[in-house]
Amino acid sequence: MDVIRLLPDSVANQIAAGEVIQRPASCLKELVENSLDAGAHTIRVLVRDAGKSLIQVIDDGAGMSVSDARMAFERHATSKIRDAQDLFRLRTMGFRGEALPSICAVAQVKMTTRRANDEVGTLLEINGSQVQKQEPCQCPVGTSIQVQNLFFNVPARRRFLKSDQTELRNLITTFQHVALVYPEVSFTFVSDDEIVYDLPVGTCKQRIESIFGKSKSKLYTSQLLEIEQQTELVTIRGFVGKPEAANKQAQQFFFVNGRYMRHPYFHKAVLQAYAGMLPAEQLPPYFIYFDIAPEQIDVNVHPTKTEIKFADEQSIFPILMATVRAALGKFNVVPSIDFLGGDIEMPVSDERMRANAKLPELHVSSGYNPFTTQRDTHSAQRESFPLRKEQVIPHWQDLYEPLRQQPQQAEQAPDPLPGASHPQAVAGGYIACTTDAGLALVHARRAHITILYNELVAQLQNRHGASQQLLFPEQLAVSADEQPVLEALLPDLKHAGFELEQAEARHYDITAIPSVLGNHNAEAALRAILTRAADGQTAVREQMQQQIALTLAQSAAIPMGKALSETEMQNILNRLFALQSYRITPDGKTVVVWLSAEEIARRF
Ligand code: ADP
Ligand code: MG
């Protein structure tokens, strides 16, 4: 007797549902993607009890004919591909024809749908794959699908669901992933009658702000830098956070061809672009959209997987890193004005930039007011205008190395800032000074870090770090893991002024240290450098030097809150404002806060 028989569809669907529909969020994803595939302009999402009792998606898309409405719930029924070849030309979100049959196998589904040219629509009710009702109905153009009591007939699955709080968070994350890709579609998300999101149509940047501008870790468009790169292989677009927008739980999103994806390897590329700019454990927010020929990626991995395989990841990695860097590099050389509250648009040409003279050009000749729109073009300081032509051309290498051709400027520093010659200490470690530009508040420790960093980078690049012999060598013991990292660092450490002699297998004597370290703990500084280097951010030589310079600067800088004499404060201000880029520390923290005359007037 033969024992093999075909499973009834309802059973097959329930099994498939286990793969496709794991939780309310996966159901929401499928429904919203269908609405987008149907060309909707407006999508409304309603959920109850974190989607456990209700998930409803209402769209104004194309709708379905009577027979399509019925067909949509059949297994492998899809309008989106016809043959296997189409699989490699995918531009729609769905294609498997699995979602609706899976959902209706494990829930109570009610759908109404109507096409624009049809007088009446169709109502369809299906409970656990059993069609309960199909009849004509009055309904708006588009489709509304209600999914009630998910897993009502699969108690094990229902029990497996997490708390409402967790499931709601999953729903919201899923919603965000889609909403971030379709700023041209308006979305609402209502949970238990409470409006969580009401997102109008707008630009991509506006969409990001309408989603995250009110969240706990607020993110504003002024904190984002635009990136754009087109190559034959891939187009990369989107936004990355300025270093100062970094935080412990930054919003980080990759999308490819309109789909959210996770990509740990590309994530590394982005982080490498920020090397040396971020404080420990702080992550930059990013929203990066890849566009690539569909045959270059494989989305067919798994319906619920967000990892996507690229055919040529190795080639995309450096493109991505350079793109992010270019944006950061531009930012680094363009001081934008904090108190204006917004960005100065990146000027495209040198001429435009000169016309746009609202830059706090504080190291030019005294009497110069950076807040008037006229610029003294005959200024003798013209050459030191920080936005030199070669720094605005779109070669990121040039953009990112503003310090390389810039020898120390401190010695030939111009006059102190107009009116800045009477610095005042402000409790807590700040220095206040008045300038023609208004009131400046300087964070003394960060200013010192920035100054030392710039000096050290210059020394490292010229290979003449000032060194100081130790009377009594200090000891450094390294682990087996650390040793190769240390060996790789040795040449640069030497340029920085360290001298290390290997005493035993994994023990070194520190016989000389960079003079900048003075009486500070040399071993601790070396350890910090090792830790940073071991984080894998040192693939590039330049970065290695920057890491060393930053760590040494942080070790040697005055501590926060240290009392300073007037001479010391004046010294810091002179050296700081002589720098090309003094507005933020190398790891992206604010050094100077300005209060313009207008701002002061406004406050009274
Ligand atoms: P897939 O999206 O992979 O094609 P689904 O099971 O999600 O498979 O949907 C089956 C079909 O039902 C789709 O191909 C589409 O033709 C139709 N459909 C589903 N949802 C909608 C909708 N909101 N508006 C119009 N048509 C829809
Ligand atoms: Mg679908």
Side-chain angles (χ1 to χ4, degrees):
M1 191 178 79
D2 294 341
V3 289
I4 299 177
R5 72 204 85 157
L6 281 171
L7 287 173
D9 266 2
S10 58
V11 179
N13 285 343
Q14 240 192 55
I15 295 170
E19 298 250 299
V20 186
I21 306 298
Q22 292 164 329
R23 47 176 19 97
S26 32
C27 180
L28 177 67
K29 173 171 180 283
E30 296 294 339
L31 295 179
V32 174
E33 289 186 352
N34 279 348
S35 297
L36 290 165
D37 284 344
H41 297 293
T42 307
I43 297 178
R44 286 192 287 148
V45 177
L46 306 164
V47 302
R48 261 184 208 293
D49 304 317
K52 291 171 185 172
S53 346
L54 173 75
I55 305 163
Q56 181 170 16
V57 174
I58 305 165
D59 69 50
D60 60 354
M64 285 174 260
S65 70
V66 181
S67 52
D68 277 355
R70 182 70 193 77
M71 265 300 278
F73 290 89
E74 293 296 328
R75 224 161 128 60
H76 302 307
T78 176
S79 54
K80 296 166 196 172
I81 56 173
R82 288 174 188 280
D83 54 38
Q85 275 312 302
D86 284 351
L87 266 179
F88 303 97
R89 302 191 272 264
L90 271 183
R91 284 288 180 183
T92 51
M93 310 278 274
F95 62 89
R96 294 159 174 274
E98 274 179 345
L100 290 185
S102 301
I103 292 169
C104 81
V106 293
Q108 297 159 340
V109 176
K110 184 172 162 188
M111 173 173 90
T112 60
T113 184
R114 180 163 76 89
R115 297 180 298 181
N117 291 332
D118 295 341
E119 296 259 302
V120 287
T122 307
L123 169 93
L124 194 63
E125 281 184 31
I126 304 181
N127 283 356
S129 293
Q130 304 301 316
V131 178
Q132 309 289 314
K133 202 190 258 181
Q134 171 158 17
E135 59 192 36
C137 75
Q138 292 299 324
C139 62
V141 172
T143 305
S144 157
I145 300 186
Q146 266 184 31
V147 177
Q148 283 176 299
N149 304 321
L150 189 65
F151 302 134
F152 78 103
N153 54 353
V154 201
R157 279 262 155 189
R158 210 173 158 85
R159 274 198 299 276
F160 166 82
L161 292 179
K162 302 269 167 40
S163 69
D164 280 11
Q165 204 192 355
T166 305
E167 294 299 345
L168 182 61
R169 204 172 44 236
N170 285 328
L171 283 167
I172 289 176
T173 310
T174 301
F175 176 83
Q176 289 175 348
H177 291 167
V178 182
L180 282 169
V181 181
Y182 291 87
E184 69 276 20
V185 175
S186 90
F187 287 91
T188 52
F189 185 103
V190 176
S191 165
D192 293 334
D193 300 320
E194 190 197 326
I195 299 173
V196 181
Y197 289 115
D198 186 358
L199 309 174
V201 173
T203 62
C204 186
K205 210 175 182 185
Q206 288 165 337
R207 175 58 53 93
I208 293 171
E209 186 165 299
S210 34
I211 295 180
F212 297 111
K214 294 191 198 90
S215 69
K216 250 187 261 143
S217 52
K218 290 193 177 65
L219 186 62
Y220 298 113
T221 49
S222 60
Q223 296 174 299
L224 295 176
L225 300 166
E226 184 158 8
I227 58 168
E228 169 145 23
Q229 184 65 258
Q230 285 188 33
T231 68
E232 276 176 20
L233 175 61
V234 65
T235 299
I236 302 174
R237 251 188 276 272
F239 302 91
V240 296
K242 293 177 184 172
E244 69 210 31
N247 62 73
K248 290 217 162 61
Q249 284 148 11
Q251 307 293 347
Q252 303 182 316
F253 298 92
F254 282 129
F255 303 92
V256 59
N257 294 355
R259 248 171 236 280
Y260 169 76
M261 69 164 177
R262 277 178 29 81
H263 210 294
Y265 182 61
F266 290 167
H267 175 73
K268 270 212 184 109
V270 177
L271 290 192
Q272 276 196 19
Y274 280 88
M277 299 178 136
L278 300 176
E281 288 166 55
Q282 303 271 307
L283 294 167
Y286 60 75
F287 302 83
I288 299 178
Y289 301 76
F290 297 88
D291 240 296
I292 192 162
E295 62 270 16
Q296 286 284 332
I297 54 170
D298 179 12
V299 289
N300 198 15
V301 243
H302 189 275
T304 58
K305 283 259 160 64
T306 45
E307 269 89 6
I308 289 184
K309 192 96 200 77
F310 283 62
D312 201 355
E313 301 185 333
Q314 255 80 30
S315 312
I316 297 175
F317 186 100
I319 300 175
L320 175 60
M321 177 162 136
T323 307
V324 175
R325 256 200 192 192
L328 292 171
K330 276 186 207 165
F331 170 62
N332 241 359
V333 296
V334 181
S336 73
I337 308 173
D338 291 316
F339 56 75
L340 289 183
D343 279 347
I344 294 173
E345 287 294 309
M346 258 316 285
V348 291
S349 77
D350 205 29
E351 279 324 298
R352 283 251 301 275
M353 195 167 313
R354 277 167 208 279
N356 181 4
K358 290 176 164 185
L359 298 162
E361 263 295 285
L362 294 168
H363 61 279
V364 296
S365 56
S366 63
Y368 165 63
N369 181 349
F371 298 95
T372 58
T373 42
Q374 260 154 39
R375 224 190 117 72
D376 176 11
T377 45
H378 302 297
S379 162
Q381 298 294 331
R382 177 80 179 261
E383 288 318 302
S384 71
F385 190 44
L387 307 165
R388 289 171 310 130
K389 188 153 195 164
E390 56 270 37
Q391 290 178 333
V392 260
I393 56 170
H395 291 297
W396 65 268
Q397 292 93 336
D398 302 341
L399 287 164
Y400 199 62
E401 293 170 16
L403 305 163
R404 190 150 91 173
Q405 294 84 15
Q406 279 306 308
Q408 253 305 98
Q409 291 195 336
E411 296 86 342
Q412 351 132 14
D415 297 337
L417 289 171
S421 50
H422 297 291
Q424 288 290 321
V426 180
Y430 308 95
I431 306 169
C433 59
T434 50
T435 71
D436 286 0
L439 187 64
L441 278 171
V442 175
H443 190 296
R445 172 168 161 83
R446 291 181 188 169
H448 198 198
I449 290 176
T450 311
I451 293 164
L452 293 178
Y453 173 83
N454 280 279
E455 292 176 1
L456 284 160
V457 167
Q459 290 179 1
L460 273 162
Q461 276 158 359
N462 302 330
R463 308 181 166 201
H464 70 271
S467 188
Q468 167 190 331
Q469 296 291 322
L470 290 182
L471 224 46
F472 304 102
E474 290 186 34
Q475 316 294 319
L476 176 74
V478 293
S479 69
D481 290 347
E482 288 170 331
Q483 192 161 33
V485 183
L486 179 67
E487 291 291 330
L489 284 167
L490 278 178
D492 280 318
L493 288 175
K494 192 164 167 38
H495 298 148
F498 280 107
E499 270 168 39
L500 296 179
E501 280 163 22
Q502 195 162 7
E504 287 167 46
R506 292 210 298 272
H507 287 267
Y508 293 78
D509 285 340
I510 311 171
T511 55
I513 59 170
S515 10
V516 64
L517 274 181
N519 298 327
H520 296 277
N521 186 334
E523 196 236 337
L526 269 175
R527 290 238 144 263
I529 293 172
L530 266 180
T531 312
R532 280 214 174 132
D535 284 348
Q537 301 188 323
T538 51
V540 182
R541 183 71 189 282
E542 293 272 294
Q543 289 170 21
M544 214 186 272
Q545 297 182 340
Q546 288 165 3
Q547 295 288 349
I548 292 174
L550 178 60
T551 316
L552 290 178
Q554 287 171 338
S555 310
I558 51 169
M560 184 60 184
K562 181 180 189 313
L564 298 169
S565 71
E566 185 171 334
T567 322
E568 286 170 325
M569 291 192 285
Q570 188 67 62
N571 187 338
I572 287 182
L573 292 181
N574 290 353
R575 285 158 80 192
L576 180 72
F577 289 121
L579 296 174
Q580 289 241 317
S581 163
Y582 51 76
R583 207 184 61 92
I584 56 164
T585 61
D587 54 346
K589 292 182 189 151
T590 304
V591 176
V592 190
V593 171
W594 298 93
L595 270 179
S596 67
E598 292 92 326
E599 177 70 12
I600 294 171
R602 203 177 59 73
R603 299 256 173 137
F604 285 99

